[in-house]
Every structure is written in C-alpha cells, then in structure tokens.
Amino acid sequence: RGVSFSKFADALTETGYTMVEDTLANMKGSGECNIVVVLSPRSPFSAAELGTMNALFDSGTGLLLLADPLTASNMNDFLERFNLKLMGGVLLDERPQIAGAPATTVATGTYLMHPVTEGLKDISYFPLADAVTLMDRDKAPEKNAKLDLLVVTSQTSWLKTSPVAGALEYTFKDGEDITGAFYIAAAYQEGEKKFVVFGDSDFANDF
C-alpha cells in the first residue's frame, strides 16, 4: 500500500532474525520459521490462509499480527478462537501529545506488565488504530493458556464505530461511538504457542 516498514525489518534483523518476505498462501504452516509477521492485511483471508495461521500457531511458530482499521480484513476469524476481537472502529483522542497531530493519533505511555512491554517507559504513538478486546469477559482462558491485554489508551480516548463516509469525522455520536479507555494490543500464550496482536501497524512503519 505504498508504506515502508524497512526500519521495523532492520530492527528485527539487528536482534538476530533473518527476514524473508512471503505470503500465507505460499506457506505450509509449520517448521519454516520462528516468527511470522502478518503485516497490515487489507483484504479478507481465504479459508486456506486462516488454516495456515492456525497451523502456524499450533506448531509453535510465533505470530505477530499488525492489523489496521478501515480495511476489509477478517482478522477476527482467527482471533475469535482465543476469545479476542478487533472492535471494528477507529480510536481517537482529542488531546493528542503531538502538536498539530490529528485526533486519530493516539498517544499512551500506559503498559501492562508483560515481556512484550518490558522496559517500555516512553510515550508510544498509534496514528490510526483499532481497539482490541475480549469477546467474553467472563470466559476463562483455556487450561495452561494466558491472555494479556497490553497497551492502554487514556480515558479521553473514544472509539468511532459509527459509519465513516469520506473524510473521517471527529464528532462523537451518542449511542454509536464508545468512550475509553481501550486496549491497543494483546498477547496470548499456551505453552510454547503464542501470538501478539496490535490494532495498528502504522506505529511500525517509516513515517
């Protein structure tokens, strides 16, 4: 989509990973790599691609899922297995931390304790993000499984779930839009099987 993630790729390379660009359609689903990054899907996954994602997870291949709002992706068809979902809206905050930034740039420095967030102290910026939530808050994780919500927005944030026609409207609509706070990321682990999902990919690009 004309966006570069070269710095993100360089950071992974510097930690010792060898990067190979591929598609889910070409992957067998196990034993090919340690981590698969599913980066900003814009169209629905096919049944075969969803099967590959499930097979990768079941084989112990780590998954990093960077989703975005306002796309046709059906990422929830994978996440629902783990009692997670993307809420299908756009996060906004009328008090952005960057002067002149639009309300769609959500800033937060609130991280819940987890290896993924270990050492994070500075403010993180998410230019266009969806929220991640539990499908059923009363449902306990599977035996030996752990589900953690990771990154929390401020109480001044809100999720626009009302229809977007043309330019994104920043007006809150009672009865349709939802007030915060929200989670932008979650991690799921079951033994050696694990994945992390973010409701945004733009924070990782070269903007």
Side-chain angles (χ1 to χ4, degrees):
R1 62 186 179 110
V3 176
S4 174
F5 292 87
S6 62
K7 293 180 180 178
F8 175 64
D10 290 343
L12 291 176
T13 300
E14 289 172 3
T15 61
Y17 290 102
T18 299
M19 302 293 295
V20 177
E21 187 172 350
D22 206 344
T23 65
L24 288 170
N26 290 335
M27 302 187 72
K28 297 177 180 178
S30 64
E32 298 180 75
C33 48
N34 294 320
I35 296 176
V36 170
V37 181
V38 180
L39 188 59
S40 187
R42 317 301 290 178
S43 57
F45 297 112
S46 67
E49 289 171 329
L50 287 169
T52 297
M53 290 173 66
N54 279 288
L56 287 166
F57 173 80
D58 291 332
S59 72
T61 299
L63 296 174
L64 176 57
L65 313 174
L66 303 184
D68 286 305
L70 305 179
T71 73
S73 172
N74 57 342
M75 182 72 78
N76 282 344
D77 287 352
F78 172 78
L79 296 176
E80 64 184 9
R81 169 185 171 185
F82 309 97
N83 193 33
L84 283 169
K85 69 175 182 179
L86 296 163
M87 294 183 68
V90 178
L91 285 168
L92 299 104
D93 195 327
E94 294 182 345
R95 297 194 298 179
Q97 300 293 319
I98 304 177
T104 51
T105 299
V106 175
T108 180
T110 305
Y111 312 104
L112 302 187
M113 189 174 296
H114 190 273
V116 170
T117 56
E118 185 176 358
L120 291 180
K121 298 179 180 179
D122 296 333
I123 298 293
S124 295
Y125 300 94
F126 299 90
L128 188 66
D130 195 354
V132 180
T133 190
L134 301 177
M135 294 179 64
D136 182 352
R137 293 185 177 274
D138 296 323
K139 182 179 179 181
E142 298 293 331
K143 186 178 180 180
N144 300 322
K146 193 170 187 293
L147 175 58
D148 294 284
L149 298 165
L150 303 179
V151 183
V152 189
T153 67
S154 73
Q155 294 287 342
T156 61
S157 64
W158 50 282
L159 186 73
K160 184 170 186 60
T161 60
S162 53
V164 177
L168 183 64
E169 298 177 0
Y170 296 160
T171 304
F172 183 88
K173 293 186 178 180
D174 288 322
E176 297 184 59
D177 299 336
I178 308 169
T179 56
F182 299 95
Y183 299 99
I184 298 178
Y188 182 94
Q189 183 163 1
E190 187 178 330
E192 296 300 314
K193 301 181 289 187
K194 54 191 173 183
F195 73 85
V196 176
V197 58
F198 281 81
D200 180 37
S201 72
D202 294 310
F203 75 94
N205 70 28
D206 296 346
F207 74 93

